[in-house]
Amino acid sequence: MLRAIALTGACLLASGCQSILEQSYEPNIAPSTSPQIVDEVQKNDPRAELGAREHPRIVASYGGEYHDLKTEQLVARITGALTVVSENPAQSYRITILNSPAINAFALPGGYVYVTRGLLALATDASEVAAVLSHEMAHVTANHGIERQQREEAAVIASRVVSEVLSSEIAGKQALARSKLRLAAFSRNQELQADVIGVRMLGEAGYDPYAAARFLDAMGAFQKFNAGADGAGSGLDFLSSHPSTPQRVELARMHARQFGMEGKAGDRGRDYFLAGIDGLLYGDSPQEGYVRGQSFLHGNLGIRFDTPPGFRIDNKVDAVMATGPGDVAIRFDLVDDSSGGSLAAYISSGWVTGLLPETVRAATVNGMPAAVARASAERWDFDVTVVRNGPKIYRFLTAVPKGQDALLKSTAEKLRATFRRMSPSEIASLKPLRIRVIEAKVGDTAASISQRMLGTDRKLDLFLLLNGLTPQARVAPGDKLKIVAE
């Protein structure tokens, strides 16, 4: 978190006038004896109390905070420029960069503003980041979070009813999560109001005011890219909580026109933006493990497994989820257990809904003790596999539509056959992916540079997206471009 963004009216004199007689001077710039920090500024702000209450939950659900000095300074620089021209320049902000590859940004009452490193990786310049931050800051200054909280409190009774009526704990939690998402979304009028305020802030801060419309287009394109051939969604990202429409994008462009023609108004801040994100962690973090094609690898835990061809792996904070052809779904997680008890007894201990007791049996998976079983609930059949590795129990839950026994068997057997401990050399070779800024050379093309991209089999498509380029775009010697590499 950028812990101390609290702007004051102080003026820093970078240089002074020299007299003819005095050719040298003593600098009189020194740190303030009474610096203003966010905690002090927000001490008696009831809105900040609301944000502070939710802050730990937000950080935990997005994999913690992401710390990199130059990236934090970049975001602080942009936030500072926007604060001066905001609706309330006296408002202080706590800006947190979340350690998540998801593309998201949001705000809580009291100046708590969040942006994921995934969003920073997708942006192509400082003005696009400024567009997102100004929109979220507008929600704060317009007190939209307070209005949203009142709606959430009014739905507490309904939420309790949902949890009590649904017998399945998992289904109940999913229903609650969906209702929470709907309540957490700002209203259409609030979004449009934040758009108008945000574009004004962009223009008055000297940024390209068309960045808002441009980045909305970029996120829409990335959502389509991320959906893949199966058309699956990309999860709860920025577009889930900030619905975008062609009309909304055009409104953003319309408001930007008051600052000048597109391409000629404002600064994009591309060079200092690229310097600020060079080396930014991309995709999964080492703490959560890595997805490499059809494989999941976790160096810290020292384990890996493969999914069948055609599966898409989604690495969440609390579990690894995978979906494949035929509506097959896989969930992989772990629990701590140092008891050393029977794994068959563990499967039968009540955490599996619809367990078929007669199917529980002991097994081994690549030399590790295991147990397997079948379960059935509503329209689904399940394979349950648990494996003990040291003090941890790893759990695979595979689900297929009822009647697809062969598909269930082949998928579960693939997981069991490939789940194994990693060798020391495998662990040592496993490195995170990062955004690297390179300079184009004579003869380089988008296609040739994109071949240096790692972590994707759609190299050119992702390269174009990350750099805001069209398929017809040409790169020139000296152009600074982003690639994904180790």
Side-chain angles (χ1 to χ4, degrees):
M1 185 185 298
L2 311 180
R3 298 183 185 280
I5 299 179
L7 302 180
T8 67
C11 177
L12 179 65
L13 298 178
S15 61
C17 296
Q18 290 182 323
S19 70
I20 297 176
L21 299 176
E22 183 62 47
Q23 296 301 316
S24 64
Y25 69 95
E26 292 293 328
N28 58 4
I29 299 172
S32 170
T33 57
S34 57
Q36 284 192 287
I37 60 174
V38 170
D39 286 335
E40 187 65 26
V41 173
Q42 296 182 339
K43 185 166 60 177
N44 298 314
D45 185 352
R47 297 169 302 173
E49 292 178 6
L50 294 174
R53 190 173 64 213
E54 292 296 311
H55 174 74
R57 179 184 63 82
I58 294 292
V59 171
S61 64
Y62 275 85
E65 301 175 21
Y66 180 76
H67 293 293
D68 180 272
L69 181 59
K70 65 179 183 298
T71 307
E72 292 174 287
Q73 289 175 336
L74 166 69
V75 176
R77 173 178 178 173
I78 296 170
T79 306
L82 294 171
T83 302
V84 174
V85 298
S86 70
E87 304 284 285
N88 180 13
Q91 171 71 56
S92 59
Y93 294 93
R94 290 174 178 262
I95 311 294
T96 302
I97 302 175
L98 296 168
N99 188 21
S100 171
I103 297 172
N104 210 349
F106 43 90
L108 295 177
Y112 285 77
V113 178
Y114 304 86
V115 60
T116 60
R117 59 175 171 80
L119 188 145
L120 297 177
L122 179 61
T124 61
D125 54 48
S127 69
E128 292 183 356
V129 178
V132 172
L133 291 176
S134 64
H135 179 97
E136 300 306 329
M137 293 165 72
H139 281 310
V140 173
T141 56
N143 281 329
H144 290 164
I146 300 294
E147 299 170 22
R148 181 174 67 185
Q149 188 230 7
Q150 291 169 348
R151 285 189 289 138
E152 291 178 348
E153 289 177 347
V156 167
I157 295 177
S159 296
R160 287 175 181 165
V161 170
V162 169
S163 63
E164 290 168 2
V165 169
L166 291 173
S167 58
S168 166
E169 182 183 359
I170 293 177
K173 287 182 178 179
Q174 289 175 339
L176 286 171
R178 287 193 296 270
S179 65
K180 192 75 172 176
L181 175 64
R182 288 193 295 270
L183 288 166
F186 291 113
S187 71
R188 183 174 182 275
N189 287 338
Q190 288 173 333
E191 290 292 353
L192 293 176
Q193 183 183 3
D195 283 345
V196 174
I197 296 172
V199 171
R200 180 196 61 74
M201 289 169 62
L202 273 179
E204 292 186 3
Y207 287 111
D208 176 7
Y210 293 88
R214 192 168 67 247
F215 197 54
L216 281 171
D217 283 338
M219 284 186 290
F222 187 81
Q223 188 180 51
K224 292 178 182 177
F225 168 86
N226 205 37
D230 59 1
S234 58
L236 306 181
D237 59 7
F238 189 87
L239 293 183
S240 297
S241 55
H242 302 70
S244 176
T245 63
Q247 293 79 11
R248 186 177 168 196
V249 174
E250 183 51 41
L251 280 172
R253 286 198 172 91
M254 181 185 73
H255 289 296
R257 291 186 187 113
Q258 65 182 302
F259 294 97
M261 294 177 57
E262 189 165 3
K264 298 182 180 299
D267 177 41
R268 291 194 174 189
R270 181 168 169 81
D271 286 344
Y272 71 81
F273 168 78
L274 290 177
I277 66 162
D278 191 15
L280 180 75
L281 189 64
Y282 183 84
D284 302 317
S285 68
Q287 292 75 23
E288 305 299 336
Y290 303 104
V291 175
R292 296 289 189 268
Q294 304 304 127
S295 303
F296 175 76
L297 311 94
H298 202 302
N300 292 350
L301 297 174
I303 55 94
R304 63 167 295 164
F305 65 85
D306 303 329
T307 60
F311 273 70
R312 175 183 161 193
I313 304 176
D314 192 5
N315 188 13
K316 302 290 189 182
V317 173
D318 57 346
V320 178
M321 311 293 290
T323 54
D327 291 329
V328 184
I330 298 167
R331 176 188 171 93
F332 169 77
D333 64 9
L334 65 89
V335 292
D336 290 315
D337 181 80
S338 56
S339 67
S342 162
L343 290 177
Y346 173 73
I347 282 186
S348 304
S349 62
W351 61 277
V352 180
T353 301
L355 180 70
L356 303 176
E358 67 277 10
T359 65
V360 179
R361 61 182 176 85
T364 58
V365 171
N366 285 316
M368 294 173 281
V372 298
R374 290 289 182 94
S376 185
E378 298 181 354
R379 299 181 297 108
W380 301 92
D381 288 331
F382 302 90
D383 178 278
V384 183
T385 299
V386 297
V387 184
R388 186 187 300 283
N389 184 26
K392 300 185 184 299
I393 294 177
Y394 295 91
R395 310 188 298 189
F396 288 96
L397 186 66
T398 306
V400 301
K402 274 191 178 296
Q404 300 289 325
D405 187 70
L407 183 59
L408 179 60
K409 181 180 179 182
S410 63
T411 305
E413 287 182 347
K414 172 74 171 179
L415 296 173
R416 287 193 287 267
T418 60
F419 181 74
R420 62 175 177 83
R421 300 183 182 97
M422 296 176 65
S423 69
S425 61
E426 283 181 303
I427 295 172
S429 66
L430 195 58
K431 296 179 181 178
L433 298 178
R434 297 184 182 277
I435 293 291
R436 300 296 185 187
V437 178
I438 57 101
E439 194 169 294
K441 294 180 171 45
V442 176
D444 278 343
T445 65
S448 66
I449 295 176
S450 70
Q451 293 309 301
R452 299 162 61 180
M453 299 270 288
L454 299 179
T456 178
D457 55 358
R458 300 167 63 191
K459 297 176 184 289
L460 179 58
D461 290 342
L462 183 58
F463 173 78
L464 295 174
L465 274 170
L466 293 181
N467 290 283
L469 300 174
T470 65
Q472 297 77 30
R474 295 187 176 185
V475 299
D479 284 351
K480 292 179 180 179
L481 300 161
K482 294 183 291 180
I483 63 170
V484 177
E486 290 184 344

